[in-house]
Amino acid sequence: MDYKKHIEGLQNNSYKDFRVLYYAYAGNLYGFVFGLVKSNSLAKDIVQETFIKVWTNRRNIDANQSFKSYLFKISQNLVVDNFRKQMANPVFENYLDYSEELFTENDIEQHIDFDMFTKRLEMAKHKLTPRQREIFELNKEQGISVPEIAVRLNIHEQTIYNQLSTAMRLLKKEIGIFGFFFFSLFFN
Amino acid sequence: MKIHIKDLLSKYIANNTTQYERSELSALTANLSDAELGDILSDIWQDYSHKIRPSDFDELIERLQIKPEKKALTVIKLITRIAAAILLPIFLISQVYLYTDNKKTHAFLNQAITVNVKSGDVANITLPDGTQVFLNSATTLSYPANFGFEKRNMQLNGEAYLKVSKNPELPFIVDTEYLKIEVLGTEFNVTSYDYLEVVETTLIAGSVQLTTKGNNSQFLVLSPGEKATYDKESGQLTVNETTTHFETAWLQGDLVFRSANFTQIINKLKLRYGVDIEINGGKYDADLFTGSFKESSVYNVLKNLQIHYNFTYTTGTDDRIQIQFK
């Protein structure tokens, strides 16, 4: 599709052309960014920021170049930063493990996104004992290793492993129930 | 290596990685510079064609505080808008008024207008369509309030002379108990009193159609100068030539009798002069009387009738006239 006309319109402050470009590319960019950060709120923010840049830099856009390439050029820093942040987040790792276990389909629309997962995790954590919760948060959320926790809390490593596995089983069960509830709402 | 990372990333974006692949990806991307990672992502982006519900455009517009451009209004458009702004409330209010008013109008139109002429009186009315109606004594005429809008119909009990306004599209219909008279613009006289055994229709000008009511409907068209007589008892409808002046003599205040028996004459006198008359004794009905009186007093009429019929009359204290046959 040729959006040259609309890019030129955009350069002349055309609201209409801006809207055309938005609806042509925002969904595409959203899908790509969501694939990387797995979070609706993050993906949405990045898309919004990107199109704000499109508007504010509209006069410098080259109408003869690919608009799709241009979009990534201006969003690249945000995308890379957020992707790295997510990859470094232990909870995100939990989330990915959890989704792999629960969802086999490739359709990301059906997945609980990372935002939803963290919300449910917070709720599920109320089912844990204070000690289970403490160990879970130290290890799975802050990424502190089991030997280090053992030193900090002055308990046996094996106790920590036992507590962690109990906590994980409980949480999976809890989030799973929410997950089931979530799906029954949408697919019944 | 770059291709391997691209592969892993593509699989990751599509939620298609194993736990092992994810830790591999995590380790590999951590070692890439932002620019290197950006290049790989850019490659994947070029081939990425999925579209997922876009975030809210309105929200974006709000954050940017940009508004849809407005075209300059032409003078005509401006005037139209101002006019619309003024007229719309007026229109709405008037609609509400008209609606409530319509309900009233409908209720009014469903009502019948009745003209009741008492004994001893005559009346002259003009209907909404311009038709002139002269009503004889003791006559009731009623017509719907929407007379002349969809149809022209009226009900008559008594005697009336009608000068119907011409309107070929709206036939004029006079409903009596026994006859239905359809008119297109004409002058005619109708006599349809309860107490008379016959219903008479005399045509002065134009043409009328008569249809008798009941099971064996009879139909006839009158020509000027003809009088149709319907006998209530036999149900026969007959046509005779008549002196139209005689038929409409009552219009000039004349009292007209056409082959009337004595009871009919007295009944007419009662109506015309609004008096109470009582007949006592004797055989008097066989003798029929035809004639007209210009008298203004019931006593002068009675004196004239005494020549034809053999009777005496007295007036009591209660204004009741007593007729005594010899």
Side-chain angles (χ1 to χ4, degrees):
Chain A
M1 266 180 278
D2 188 19
Y3 287 99
K4 195 182 165 188
K5 195 182 88 189
H6 299 294
I7 294 162
E8 283 165 354
L10 172 68
Q11 288 171 333
N12 289 316
N13 306 325
S14 164
Y15 170 92
K16 252 194 198 163
D17 290 313
F18 183 49
R19 197 166 178 271
V20 169
L21 289 168
Y22 180 87
Y23 280 107
Y25 288 103
N28 190 207
L29 183 64
Y30 179 91
F32 181 71
V33 176
F34 182 86
L36 289 167
V37 298
K38 318 281 185 195
S39 152
N40 281 323
S41 59
L42 269 180
K44 188 185 156 189
D45 282 351
I46 291 166
V47 171
Q48 295 265 314
E49 286 302 322
T50 305
F51 275 89
I52 285 169
K53 277 183 194 165
V54 169
W55 179 257
T56 49
N57 295 328
R58 62 192 180 279
R59 294 195 201 284
N60 304 320
I61 301 170
D62 188 348
N64 295 312
Q65 277 197 342
S66 154
F67 187 71
K68 185 164 171 143
S69 300
Y70 173 78
L71 272 185
F72 190 75
K73 212 182 283 167
I74 56 169
S75 62
Q76 183 176 332
N77 285 344
L78 268 178
V79 175
V80 169
D81 280 358
N82 280 282
F83 170 67
R84 286 200 195 278
K85 242 180 240 167
Q86 290 291 73
M87 292 303 270
N89 186 347
V91 182
F92 189 68
E93 202 184 316
N94 284 334
Y95 161 74
L96 293 175
D97 294 346
Y98 163 83
S99 358
E100 190 198 346
E101 213 169 289
L102 214 70
F103 312 113
T104 48
E105 310 97 307
N106 285 337
D107 189 355
I108 55 171
E109 292 263 24
Q110 287 185 22
H111 282 62
I112 296 176
D113 80 323
F114 180 59
D115 303 340
M116 187 77 83
F117 174 80
T118 45
K119 255 184 227 162
R120 286 187 190 163
L121 182 63
E122 281 308 309
M123 286 175 79
K125 281 199 300 197
H126 291 294
K127 297 273 175 183
L128 303 176
T129 64
R131 180 41 64 97
Q132 282 173 342
R133 184 172 173 158
E134 191 183 13
I135 292 167
F136 176 84
E137 284 176 351
L138 284 169
N139 182 251
K140 296 293 180 185
E141 293 180 14
Q142 294 168 37
I144 299 164
S145 69
V146 172
E148 220 182 313
I149 297 168
V151 174
R152 269 203 210 181
L153 299 179
N154 196 22
I155 44 178
H156 274 289
E157 277 186 31
Q158 191 52 49
T159 313
I160 293 167
Y161 282 120
N162 291 345
Q163 293 277 30
L164 264 179
S165 75
T166 314
M168 290 297 279
R169 248 186 291 122
L170 249 165
L171 292 175
K172 265 181 195 164
K173 206 178 129 201
E174 280 301 307
I175 298 169
I177 290 165
F178 287 127
F180 179 75
F181 179 67
F182 177 78
F183 284 114
S184 57
L185 265 183
F186 281 84
F187 297 103
N188 270 355
Chain B
M1 181 54 78
K2 198 185 153 186
I3 290 164
H4 182 58
I5 297 172
K6 191 187 163 186
D7 248 27
L8 282 175
L9 265 174
S10 299
K11 281 171 95 178
Y12 162 80
I13 288 168
N15 286 313
N16 211 8
T17 50
T18 62
Q19 200 174 4
Y20 174 77
E21 286 171 324
R22 282 196 298 278
S23 20
E24 196 190 358
L25 177 69
S26 181
L28 287 171
T29 52
N31 286 327
L32 289 174
S33 71
D34 284 354
E36 286 169 325
L37 181 57
D39 280 350
I40 296 167
L41 285 175
S42 180
D43 277 359
I44 299 167
W45 164 243
Q46 285 303 326
D47 299 328
Y48 185 85
S49 57
H50 283 291
K51 263 190 164 187
I52 297 171
R53 59 193 162 199
S55 39
D56 205 345
F57 183 66
D58 295 338
E59 201 184 308
L60 174 68
I61 288 313
E62 211 161 284
R63 280 179 69 182
L64 279 171
Q65 297 208 305
I66 49 176
K67 283 171 189 160
E69 61 252 41
K70 279 176 186 160
K71 283 170 195 158
L73 289 176
T74 62
V75 177
I76 289 171
K77 270 189 183 168
L78 192 68
I79 290 167
T80 314
R81 286 197 185 183
I82 292 167
I86 296 166
L87 291 177
L88 190 67
I90 295 172
F91 173 75
L92 289 174
I93 291 164
S94 62
Q95 282 300 303
V96 172
Y97 269 101
L98 278 176
Y99 176 71
T100 44
D101 219 44
N102 250 335
K103 282 168 118 183
K104 285 181 199 161
T105 314
H106 267 287
F108 173 70
L109 286 179
N110 286 331
Q111 284 178 341
I113 292 162
T114 302
V115 180
N116 207 340
V117 184
K118 287 177 190 160
S119 297
D121 286 341
V122 287
N124 177 4
I125 62 164
T126 304
L127 294 175
D129 69 330
T131 294
Q132 276 195 297
V133 186
F134 301 87
L135 298 167
N136 207 342
S137 297
T139 297
T140 304
L141 167 77
S142 67
Y143 58 93
N146 65 351
F147 178 92
F149 283 104
E150 284 161 21
K151 48 185 180 175
R152 300 189 289 174
N153 56 329
M154 51 177 274
Q155 289 186 311
L156 179 75
N157 192 329
E159 184 164 20
Y161 171 82
L162 297 101
K163 262 183 167 170
V164 176
S165 292
K166 269 206 173 118
N167 186 348
E169 281 164 25
L170 286 179
F172 192 102
I173 294 160
V174 180
D175 254 323
T176 70
E177 199 184 344
Y178 295 92
L179 277 181
K180 184 180 153 193
I181 304 151
E182 223 173 315
V183 189
L184 283 176
T186 189
E187 289 180 40
F188 67 105
N189 192 76
V190 185
T191 309
S192 176
Y193 281 111
D194 283 341
Y195 68 89
L196 288 178
E197 279 102 40
V198 292
V199 181
E200 294 177 342
T201 307
T202 306
L203 184 68
I204 287 87
S207 84
V208 293
Q209 291 175 6
L210 301 185
T211 314
T212 61
K213 296 184 176 179
N215 293 333
N216 294 316
S217 183
Q218 299 165 71
F219 175 88
L220 72 84
V221 178
L222 276 186
S223 301
E226 284 182 340
K227 175 168 91 169
T229 306
Y230 177 79
D231 191 312
K232 292 177 186 174
E233 210 180 302
S234 67
Q236 281 303 307
L237 187 65
T238 51
V239 183
N240 297 301
E241 295 232 333
T242 184
T243 318
T244 55
H245 165 75
F246 185 64
E247 299 296 336
T248 58
W250 65 272
L251 288 173
Q252 283 80 47
D254 294 358
L255 193 58
V256 181
F257 297 107
R258 298 176 289 260
S259 309
N261 64 38
F262 193 72
T263 312
Q264 288 168 346
I265 294 165
I266 294 305
N267 279 335
K268 203 154 190 173
L269 288 177
K270 285 186 200 169
L271 296 171
R272 175 64 190 270
Y273 297 103
V275 291
D276 208 356
I277 301 170
E278 202 175 303
I279 308 163
N280 301 303
K283 277 194 172 182
Y284 48 83
D285 260 7
D287 228 353
L288 297 178
F289 180 83
T290 298
S292 68
F293 300 96
K294 281 189 184 295
E295 304 300 333
S296 56
S297 158
V298 68
Y299 299 108
N300 288 337
V301 176
L302 286 174
K303 273 171 194 159
N304 277 302
L305 284 171
Q306 277 179 312
I307 301 163
H308 193 81
Y309 296 98
N310 193 14
F311 66 89
T312 58
Y313 66 89
T314 53
T315 313
T317 46
D318 52 356
D319 273 355
R320 176 183 288 223
I321 298 165
Q322 298 281 347
I323 286 172
Q324 188 65 54
F325 274 91
K326 285 161 187 168

